mmCIF file of all heavy atoms in Angstrom:
data_model
loop_
_atom_site.group_PDB
_atom_site.id
_atom_site.type_symbol
_atom_site.label_atom_id
_atom_site.label_comp_id
_atom_site.label_asym_id
_atom_site.label_seq_id
_atom_site.Cartn_x
_atom_site.Cartn_y
_atom_site.Cartn_z
ATOM 1 N N PRO Z 203 14.900 24.886 13.200
ATOM 2 C CA PRO Z 203 13.409 24.990 13.219
ATOM 3 C C PRO Z 203 12.968 26.321 13.842
ATOM 4 O O PRO Z 203 13.531 26.833 14.757
ATOM 5 C CB PRO Z 203 12.978 23.857 14.232
ATOM 6 C CG PRO Z 203 14.201 23.057 14.461
ATOM 7 C CD PRO Z 203 15.374 23.979 14.277
ATOM 8 N N GLY Z 204 11.882 26.796 13.268
ATOM 9 C CA GLY Z 204 11.191 27.987 13.822
ATOM 10 C C GLY Z 204 10.047 27.468 14.779
ATOM 11 O O GLY Z 204 10.314 26.460 15.437
ATOM 12 N N PRO Z 205 8.954 28.146 14.758
ATOM 13 C CA PRO Z 205 7.864 27.654 15.628
ATOM 14 C C PRO Z 205 7.298 26.258 15.133
ATOM 15 O O PRO Z 205 6.661 26.203 14.055
ATOM 16 C CB PRO Z 205 6.762 28.696 15.493
ATOM 17 C CG PRO Z 205 7.382 29.830 14.693
ATOM 18 C CD PRO Z 205 8.623 29.307 13.997
ATOM 19 N N VAL Z 206 7.493 25.244 15.915
ATOM 20 C CA VAL Z 206 7.076 23.928 15.521
ATOM 21 C C VAL Z 206 6.126 23.375 16.634
ATOM 22 O O VAL Z 206 6.509 23.331 17.834
ATOM 23 C CB VAL Z 206 8.264 22.908 15.332
ATOM 24 C CG1 VAL Z 206 7.733 21.511 15.064
ATOM 25 C CG2 VAL Z 206 9.072 23.396 14.236
ATOM 26 N N ALA Z 207 4.924 23.052 16.273
ATOM 27 C CA ALA Z 207 3.944 22.544 17.279
ATOM 28 C C ALA Z 207 4.242 21.159 17.775
ATOM 29 O O ALA Z 207 4.997 20.415 17.190
ATOM 30 C CB ALA Z 207 2.560 22.566 16.629
ATOM 31 N N ASN Z 208 3.702 20.827 18.965
ATOM 32 C CA ASN Z 208 3.843 19.507 19.529
ATOM 33 C C ASN Z 208 5.304 19.144 19.896
ATOM 34 O O ASN Z 208 5.691 17.958 19.721
ATOM 35 C CB ASN Z 208 3.226 18.418 18.649
ATOM 36 C CG ASN Z 208 1.778 18.732 18.354
ATOM 37 O OD1 ASN Z 208 1.002 19.075 19.257
ATOM 38 N ND2 ASN Z 208 1.402 18.609 17.079
ATOM 39 N N THR Z 209 6.074 20.111 20.316
ATOM 40 C CA THR Z 209 7.432 19.832 20.774
ATOM 41 C C THR Z 209 7.580 20.402 22.199
ATOM 42 O O THR Z 209 6.905 21.351 22.527
ATOM 43 C CB THR Z 209 8.455 20.541 19.897
ATOM 44 O OG1 THR Z 209 8.272 21.946 19.894
ATOM 45 C CG2 THR Z 209 8.404 20.041 18.456
ATOM 46 N N GLU Z 210 8.567 19.845 22.911
ATOM 47 C CA GLU Z 210 8.798 20.283 24.299
ATOM 48 C C GLU Z 210 9.259 21.710 24.267
ATOM 49 O O GLU Z 210 8.940 22.589 25.128
ATOM 50 C CB GLU Z 210 9.828 19.394 24.916
ATOM 51 C CG GLU Z 210 9.870 19.593 26.396
ATOM 52 C CD GLU Z 210 10.563 18.416 27.113
ATOM 53 O OE1 GLU Z 210 10.775 17.318 26.567
ATOM 54 O OE2 GLU Z 210 11.044 18.682 28.293
ATOM 55 N N GLY Z 211 10.116 22.091 23.260
ATOM 56 C CA GLY Z 211 10.641 23.494 23.180
ATOM 57 C C GLY Z 211 9.515 24.474 23.022
ATOM 58 O O GLY Z 211 9.402 25.497 23.705
ATOM 59 N N ALA Z 212 8.504 24.170 22.148
ATOM 60 C CA ALA Z 212 7.395 25.071 21.885
ATOM 61 C C ALA Z 212 6.521 25.152 23.191
ATOM 62 O O ALA Z 212 6.091 26.220 23.548
ATOM 63 C CB ALA Z 212 6.592 24.610 20.699
ATOM 64 N N ASP Z 213 6.302 24.021 23.801
ATOM 65 C CA ASP Z 213 5.512 24.041 24.979
ATOM 66 C C ASP Z 213 6.139 24.926 26.085
ATOM 67 O O ASP Z 213 5.447 25.683 26.742
ATOM 68 C CB ASP Z 213 5.425 22.613 25.647
ATOM 69 C CG ASP Z 213 4.538 21.746 24.761
ATOM 70 O OD1 ASP Z 213 3.845 22.240 23.912
ATOM 71 O OD2 ASP Z 213 4.537 20.457 24.974
ATOM 72 N N ARG Z 214 7.454 24.827 26.187
ATOM 73 C CA ARG Z 214 8.157 25.658 27.166
ATOM 74 C C ARG Z 214 8.110 27.155 26.891
ATOM 75 O O ARG Z 214 7.842 27.975 27.693
ATOM 76 C CB ARG Z 214 9.608 25.162 27.376
ATOM 77 C CG ARG Z 214 9.716 23.843 28.090
ATOM 78 C CD ARG Z 214 11.057 23.258 28.000
ATOM 79 N NE ARG Z 214 11.008 21.902 28.668
ATOM 80 C CZ ARG Z 214 11.711 21.576 29.773
ATOM 81 N NH1 ARG Z 214 12.460 22.448 30.362
ATOM 82 N NH2 ARG Z 214 11.610 20.386 30.233
ATOM 83 N N LEU Z 215 8.324 27.414 25.575
ATOM 84 C CA LEU Z 215 8.293 28.884 25.203
ATOM 85 C C LEU Z 215 6.896 29.423 25.246
ATOM 86 O O LEU Z 215 6.767 30.642 25.358
ATOM 87 C CB LEU Z 215 8.918 29.037 23.786
ATOM 88 C CG LEU Z 215 10.421 28.789 23.673
ATOM 89 C CD1 LEU Z 215 10.893 29.144 22.298
ATOM 90 C CD2 LEU Z 215 11.195 29.541 24.738
ATOM 91 N N SER Z 216 5.893 28.594 24.987
ATOM 92 C CA SER Z 216 4.530 29.120 24.902
ATOM 93 C C SER Z 216 4.049 29.715 26.221
ATOM 94 O O SER Z 216 3.163 30.504 26.246
ATOM 95 C CB SER Z 216 3.601 27.984 24.477
ATOM 96 O OG SER Z 216 3.908 27.567 23.136
ATOM 97 N N ASN Z 217 4.729 29.261 27.320
ATOM 98 C CA ASN Z 217 4.234 29.723 28.646
ATOM 99 C C ASN Z 217 4.282 31.233 28.734
ATOM 100 O O ASN Z 217 3.487 31.893 29.371
ATOM 101 C CB ASN Z 217 5.134 29.173 29.756
ATOM 102 C CG ASN Z 217 5.005 27.659 29.856
ATOM 103 O OD1 ASN Z 217 3.934 27.102 29.338
ATOM 104 N ND2 ASN Z 217 5.991 26.966 30.419
ATOM 105 N N LYS Z 218 5.314 31.863 28.111
ATOM 106 C CA LYS Z 218 5.496 33.269 28.382
ATOM 107 C C LYS Z 218 5.413 34.121 27.042
ATOM 108 O O LYS Z 218 5.893 35.217 27.012
ATOM 109 C CB LYS Z 218 6.862 33.515 29.003
ATOM 110 C CG LYS Z 218 6.829 33.326 30.497
ATOM 111 C CD LYS Z 218 8.051 34.092 31.128
ATOM 112 C CE LYS Z 218 7.988 33.883 32.623
ATOM 113 N NZ LYS Z 218 9.123 34.366 33.331
ATOM 114 N N SER Z 219 4.960 33.548 25.993
ATOM 115 C CA SER Z 219 4.893 34.274 24.757
ATOM 116 C C SER Z 219 3.768 33.820 23.879
ATOM 117 O O SER Z 219 3.120 32.836 24.200
ATOM 118 C CB SER Z 219 6.283 34.153 23.995
ATOM 119 O OG SER Z 219 6.293 32.810 23.440
ATOM 120 N N ASN Z 220 3.619 34.492 22.745
ATOM 121 C CA ASN Z 220 2.573 34.064 21.828
ATOM 122 C C ASN Z 220 3.214 33.164 20.734
ATOM 123 O O ASN Z 220 2.851 33.200 19.582
ATOM 124 C CB ASN Z 220 1.903 35.296 21.164
ATOM 125 C CG ASN Z 220 2.919 36.111 20.368
ATOM 126 O OD1 ASN Z 220 4.128 35.887 20.504
ATOM 127 N ND2 ASN Z 220 2.408 37.095 19.623
ATOM 128 N N TYR Z 221 4.172 32.363 21.188
ATOM 129 C CA TYR Z 221 5.013 31.618 20.303
ATOM 130 C C TYR Z 221 4.238 30.893 19.199
ATOM 131 O O TYR Z 221 4.537 31.024 18.023
ATOM 132 C CB TYR Z 221 5.804 30.616 21.087
ATOM 133 C CG TYR Z 221 6.934 29.960 20.385
ATOM 134 C CD1 TYR Z 221 8.005 30.779 19.904
ATOM 135 C CD2 TYR Z 221 6.985 28.603 20.159
ATOM 136 C CE1 TYR Z 221 9.027 30.134 19.201
ATOM 137 C CE2 TYR Z 221 8.006 28.009 19.468
ATOM 138 C CZ TYR Z 221 9.045 28.748 19.019
ATOM 139 O OH TYR Z 221 10.060 28.162 18.317
ATOM 140 N N LEU Z 222 3.208 30.137 19.547
ATOM 141 C CA LEU Z 222 2.504 29.405 18.532
ATOM 142 C C LEU Z 222 1.264 30.163 18.036
ATOM 143 O O LEU Z 222 0.704 29.732 17.034
ATOM 144 C CB LEU Z 222 2.102 28.039 19.103
ATOM 145 C CG LEU Z 222 3.207 27.067 19.334
ATOM 146 C CD1 LEU Z 222 2.765 25.746 19.952
ATOM 147 C CD2 LEU Z 222 3.958 26.726 18.021
ATOM 148 N N GLU Z 223 0.943 31.222 18.625
ATOM 149 C CA GLU Z 223 -0.159 32.038 18.185
ATOM 150 C C GLU Z 223 0.293 32.947 17.037
ATOM 151 O O GLU Z 223 -0.517 33.704 16.475
ATOM 152 C CB GLU Z 223 -0.815 32.866 19.247
ATOM 153 C CG GLU Z 223 -1.686 32.054 20.229
ATOM 154 C CD GLU Z 223 -0.849 31.336 21.246
ATOM 155 O OE1 GLU Z 223 -0.084 31.966 21.928
ATOM 156 O OE2 GLU Z 223 -1.011 30.084 21.365
ATOM 157 N N MET Z 224 1.545 32.908 16.656
ATOM 158 C CA MET Z 224 2.035 33.860 15.668
ATOM 159 C C MET Z 224 1.741 33.414 14.260
ATOM 160 O O MET Z 224 2.171 33.973 13.333
ATOM 161 C CB MET Z 224 3.533 34.018 15.810
ATOM 162 C CG MET Z 224 4.309 32.742 15.587
ATOM 163 S SD MET Z 224 6.064 32.965 15.307
ATOM 164 C CE MET Z 224 6.641 33.664 16.819
ATOM 165 N N LYS Z 225 1.002 32.341 14.103
ATOM 166 C CA LYS Z 225 0.816 31.735 12.761
ATOM 167 C C LYS Z 225 0.228 32.732 11.767
ATOM 168 O O LYS Z 225 0.577 32.628 10.566
ATOM 169 C CB LYS Z 225 -0.013 30.445 12.813
ATOM 170 C CG LYS Z 225 -1.410 30.572 13.195
ATOM 171 C CD LYS Z 225 -2.013 29.158 13.224
ATOM 172 C CE LYS Z 225 -3.420 29.226 13.757
ATOM 173 N NZ LYS Z 225 -4.017 27.934 14.021
ATOM 174 N N GLN Z 226 -0.608 33.599 12.248
ATOM 175 C CA GLN Z 226 -1.233 34.588 11.291
ATOM 176 C C GLN Z 226 -0.125 35.469 10.678
ATOM 177 O O GLN Z 226 -0.311 35.919 9.535
ATOM 178 C CB GLN Z 226 -2.270 35.493 11.970
ATOM 179 C CG GLN Z 226 -3.589 34.789 12.257
ATOM 180 C CD GLN Z 226 -3.485 33.993 13.591
ATOM 181 O OE1 GLN Z 226 -2.464 33.937 14.190
ATOM 182 N NE2 GLN Z 226 -4.621 33.413 13.991
ATOM 183 N N THR Z 227 0.956 35.662 11.390
ATOM 184 C CA THR Z 227 1.970 36.587 10.804
ATOM 185 C C THR Z 227 3.042 35.805 10.027
ATOM 186 O O THR Z 227 3.941 36.447 9.462
ATOM 187 C CB THR Z 227 2.669 37.309 11.941
ATOM 188 O OG1 THR Z 227 3.482 36.404 12.698
ATOM 189 C CG2 THR Z 227 1.689 38.031 12.839
ATOM 190 N N LEU Z 228 2.984 34.540 9.999
ATOM 191 C CA LEU Z 228 4.005 33.726 9.216
ATOM 192 C C LEU Z 228 3.652 33.784 7.738
ATOM 193 O O LEU Z 228 2.485 33.573 7.347
ATOM 194 C CB LEU Z 228 4.062 32.306 9.769
ATOM 195 C CG LEU Z 228 4.642 32.087 11.117
ATOM 196 C CD1 LEU Z 228 4.403 30.663 11.561
ATOM 197 C CD2 LEU Z 228 6.154 32.382 11.091
ATOM 198 N N PRO Z 229 4.646 33.990 6.947
ATOM 199 C CA PRO Z 229 4.403 34.094 5.481
ATOM 200 C C PRO Z 229 3.646 32.891 4.920
ATOM 201 O O PRO Z 229 2.804 33.015 4.049
ATOM 202 C CB PRO Z 229 5.813 34.198 4.859
ATOM 203 C CG PRO Z 229 6.525 34.936 5.940
ATOM 204 C CD PRO Z 229 6.045 34.404 7.203
ATOM 205 N N LEU Z 230 3.916 31.724 5.417
ATOM 206 C CA LEU Z 230 3.264 30.456 4.944
ATOM 207 C C LEU Z 230 1.910 30.182 5.699
ATOM 208 O O LEU Z 230 1.293 29.182 5.408
ATOM 209 C CB LEU Z 230 4.127 29.260 4.909
ATOM 210 C CG LEU Z 230 5.252 29.356 3.866
ATOM 211 C CD1 LEU Z 230 6.106 28.095 3.916
ATOM 212 C CD2 LEU Z 230 4.703 29.503 2.508
ATOM 213 N N GLY Z 231 1.577 31.027 6.664
ATOM 214 C CA GLY Z 231 0.277 30.947 7.223
ATOM 215 C C GLY Z 231 -0.022 29.843 8.195
ATOM 216 O O GLY Z 231 -1.174 29.626 8.602
ATOM 217 N N ARG Z 232 1.008 29.119 8.674
ATOM 218 C CA ARG Z 232 0.798 28.099 9.662
ATOM 219 C C ARG Z 232 2.075 27.921 10.451
ATOM 220 O O ARG Z 232 3.166 28.295 9.990
ATOM 221 C CB ARG Z 232 0.416 26.753 9.003
ATOM 222 C CG ARG Z 232 1.465 26.102 8.126
ATOM 223 C CD ARG Z 232 1.018 24.720 7.686
ATOM 224 N NE ARG Z 232 1.959 24.117 6.750
ATOM 225 C CZ ARG Z 232 3.092 23.486 7.072
ATOM 226 N NH1 ARG Z 232 3.427 23.348 8.322
ATOM 227 N NH2 ARG Z 232 3.859 22.969 6.119
ATOM 228 N N VAL Z 233 1.969 27.378 11.645
ATOM 229 C CA VAL Z 233 3.200 26.987 12.358
ATOM 230 C C VAL Z 233 3.712 25.715 11.820
ATOM 231 O O VAL Z 233 3.037 25.009 11.066
ATOM 232 C CB VAL Z 233 2.965 26.870 13.855
ATOM 233 C CG1 VAL Z 233 2.588 28.182 14.505
ATOM 234 C CG2 VAL Z 233 1.909 25.791 14.203
ATOM 235 N N GLY Z 234 4.981 25.418 12.141
ATOM 236 C CA GLY Z 234 5.604 24.218 11.635
ATOM 237 C C GLY Z 234 5.083 22.945 12.267
ATOM 238 O O GLY Z 234 4.536 22.930 13.340
ATOM 239 N N ALA Z 235 5.294 21.861 11.527
ATOM 240 C CA ALA Z 235 5.024 20.492 12.052
ATOM 241 C C ALA Z 235 6.359 19.778 12.169
ATOM 242 O O ALA Z 235 7.301 20.059 11.471
ATOM 243 C CB ALA Z 235 4.080 19.730 11.177
ATOM 244 N N ILE Z 236 6.363 18.764 13.062
ATOM 245 C CA ILE Z 236 7.556 17.939 13.176
ATOM 246 C C ILE Z 236 7.939 17.327 11.773
ATOM 247 O O ILE Z 236 9.103 17.282 11.415
ATOM 248 C CB ILE Z 236 7.306 16.838 14.207
ATOM 249 C CG1 ILE Z 236 7.345 17.438 15.601
ATOM 250 C CG2 ILE Z 236 8.336 15.689 14.087
ATOM 251 C CD1 ILE Z 236 7.014 16.515 16.759
ATOM 252 N N GLU Z 237 6.930 17.011 10.965
ATOM 253 C CA GLU Z 237 7.146 16.454 9.680
ATOM 254 C C GLU Z 237 7.911 17.387 8.730
ATOM 255 O O GLU Z 237 8.667 16.985 7.884
ATOM 256 C CB GLU Z 237 5.846 16.035 8.994
ATOM 257 C CG GLU Z 237 5.181 14.813 9.586
ATOM 258 C CD GLU Z 237 4.414 15.101 10.886
ATOM 259 O OE1 GLU Z 237 4.264 16.279 11.276
ATOM 260 O OE2 GLU Z 237 3.928 14.085 11.528
ATOM 261 N N ASP Z 238 7.680 18.706 8.905
ATOM 262 C CA ASP Z 238 8.427 19.687 8.119
ATOM 263 C C ASP Z 238 9.945 19.526 8.397
ATOM 264 O O ASP Z 238 10.776 19.629 7.404
ATOM 265 C CB ASP Z 238 8.004 21.127 8.481
ATOM 266 C CG ASP Z 238 6.596 21.405 7.988
ATOM 267 O OD1 ASP Z 238 6.290 21.177 6.793
ATOM 268 O OD2 ASP Z 238 5.776 21.916 8.778
ATOM 269 N N CYS Z 239 10.307 19.420 9.645
ATOM 270 C CA CYS Z 239 11.718 19.240 10.031
ATOM 271 C C CYS Z 239 12.278 17.877 9.523
ATOM 272 O O CYS Z 239 13.341 17.769 9.009
ATOM 273 C CB CYS Z 239 11.928 19.366 11.514
ATOM 274 S SG CYS Z 239 11.368 20.961 12.185
ATOM 275 N N ALA Z 240 11.426 16.874 9.622
ATOM 276 C CA ALA Z 240 11.850 15.533 9.134
ATOM 277 C C ALA Z 240 12.129 15.565 7.674
ATOM 278 O O ALA Z 240 13.151 14.993 7.229
ATOM 279 C CB ALA Z 240 10.763 14.495 9.485
ATOM 280 N N ASN Z 241 11.299 16.248 6.936
ATOM 281 C CA ASN Z 241 11.484 16.303 5.478
ATOM 282 C C ASN Z 241 12.885 16.970 5.154
ATOM 283 O O ASN Z 241 13.566 16.547 4.294
ATOM 284 C CB ASN Z 241 10.383 17.117 4.852
ATOM 285 C CG ASN Z 241 9.050 16.404 4.870
ATOM 286 O OD1 ASN Z 241 8.972 15.156 5.041
ATOM 287 N ND2 ASN Z 241 7.959 17.135 4.679
ATOM 288 N N ALA Z 242 13.131 18.106 5.821
ATOM 289 C CA ALA Z 242 14.365 18.773 5.618
ATOM 290 C C ALA Z 242 15.584 17.966 5.997
ATOM 291 O O ALA Z 242 16.625 17.948 5.342
ATOM 292 C CB ALA Z 242 14.399 20.100 6.419
ATOM 293 N N GLY Z 243 15.403 17.108 7.024
ATOM 294 C CA GLY Z 243 16.501 16.253 7.447
ATOM 295 C C GLY Z 243 16.751 15.181 6.421
ATOM 296 O O GLY Z 243 17.929 14.901 6.071
ATOM 297 N N VAL Z 244 15.689 14.613 5.874
ATOM 298 C CA VAL Z 244 15.872 13.572 4.829
ATOM 299 C C VAL Z 244 16.633 14.215 3.652
ATOM 300 O O VAL Z 244 17.580 13.642 3.106
ATOM 301 C CB VAL Z 244 14.489 13.027 4.355
ATOM 302 C CG1 VAL Z 244 14.589 12.266 3.066
ATOM 303 C CG2 VAL Z 244 13.964 12.197 5.504
ATOM 304 N N PHE Z 245 16.261 15.417 3.265
ATOM 305 C CA PHE Z 245 16.894 16.071 2.131
ATOM 306 C C PHE Z 245 18.407 16.262 2.426
ATOM 307 O O PHE Z 245 19.272 15.888 1.637
ATOM 308 C CB PHE Z 245 16.251 17.423 1.829
ATOM 309 C CG PHE Z 245 17.098 18.309 0.910
ATOM 310 C CD1 PHE Z 245 17.325 17.921 -0.404
ATOM 311 C CD2 PHE Z 245 17.691 19.431 1.389
ATOM 312 C CE1 PHE Z 245 18.090 18.700 -1.280
ATOM 313 C CE2 PHE Z 245 18.496 20.177 0.510
ATOM 314 C CZ PHE Z 245 18.734 19.823 -0.772
ATOM 315 N N LEU Z 246 18.702 16.817 3.644
ATOM 316 C CA LEU Z 246 20.072 17.124 3.999
ATOM 317 C C LEU Z 246 21.014 15.874 4.011
ATOM 318 O O LEU Z 246 22.163 15.969 3.643
ATOM 319 C CB LEU Z 246 20.191 17.866 5.273
ATOM 320 C CG LEU Z 246 19.785 19.322 5.289
ATOM 321 C CD1 LEU Z 246 19.742 19.940 6.650
ATOM 322 C CD2 LEU Z 246 20.740 20.152 4.426
ATOM 323 N N PHE Z 247 20.428 14.803 4.467
ATOM 324 C CA PHE Z 247 21.234 13.503 4.508
ATOM 325 C C PHE Z 247 21.259 12.831 3.142
ATOM 326 O O PHE Z 247 22.135 12.011 2.893
ATOM 327 C CB PHE Z 247 20.584 12.498 5.522
ATOM 328 C CG PHE Z 247 20.973 12.861 6.945
ATOM 329 C CD1 PHE Z 247 19.918 13.056 7.942
ATOM 330 C CD2 PHE Z 247 22.254 12.975 7.407
ATOM 331 C CE1 PHE Z 247 20.230 13.327 9.274
ATOM 332 C CE2 PHE Z 247 22.586 13.289 8.694
ATOM 333 C CZ PHE Z 247 21.554 13.452 9.615
ATOM 334 N N SER Z 248 20.346 13.154 2.281
ATOM 335 C CA SER Z 248 20.278 12.418 0.969
ATOM 336 C C SER Z 248 21.332 12.852 0.051
ATOM 337 O O SER Z 248 21.999 13.928 0.159
ATOM 338 C CB SER Z 248 18.884 12.642 0.355
ATOM 339 O OG SER Z 248 18.851 13.956 -0.273
ATOM 340 N N ASP Z 249 21.591 12.061 -1.006
ATOM 341 C CA ASP Z 249 22.484 12.409 -2.096
ATOM 342 C C ASP Z 249 22.100 13.631 -2.806
ATOM 343 O O ASP Z 249 22.879 14.265 -3.493
ATOM 344 C CB ASP Z 249 22.651 11.221 -3.046
ATOM 345 C CG ASP Z 249 23.507 10.106 -2.420
ATOM 346 O OD1 ASP Z 249 24.099 10.314 -1.347
ATOM 347 O OD2 ASP Z 249 23.501 8.994 -2.984
ATOM 348 N N ALA Z 250 20.831 14.017 -2.712
ATOM 349 C CA ALA Z 250 20.341 15.293 -3.376
ATOM 350 C C ALA Z 250 21.093 16.456 -2.773
ATOM 351 O O ALA Z 250 21.122 17.551 -3.386
ATOM 352 C CB ALA Z 250 18.838 15.491 -3.220
#
Side-chain angles (χ1 to χ4, degrees):
V206 177
N208 303 316
T209 61
E210 196 165 339
D213 289 347
R214 287 170 184 242
L215 290 189
S216 296
N217 293 340
K218 277 202 180 171
S219 72
N220 60 350
Y221 192 63
L222 290 177
E223 284 80 55
M224 62 165 65
K225 65 182 176 190
Q226 285 84 357
T227 69
L228 288 170
L230 289 181
R232 64 172 175 85
V233 294
I236 287 173
E237 288 79 7
D238 291 308
C239 299
N241 291 341
V244 167
F245 167 68
L246 284 173
F247 282 123
S248 78
D249 286 348

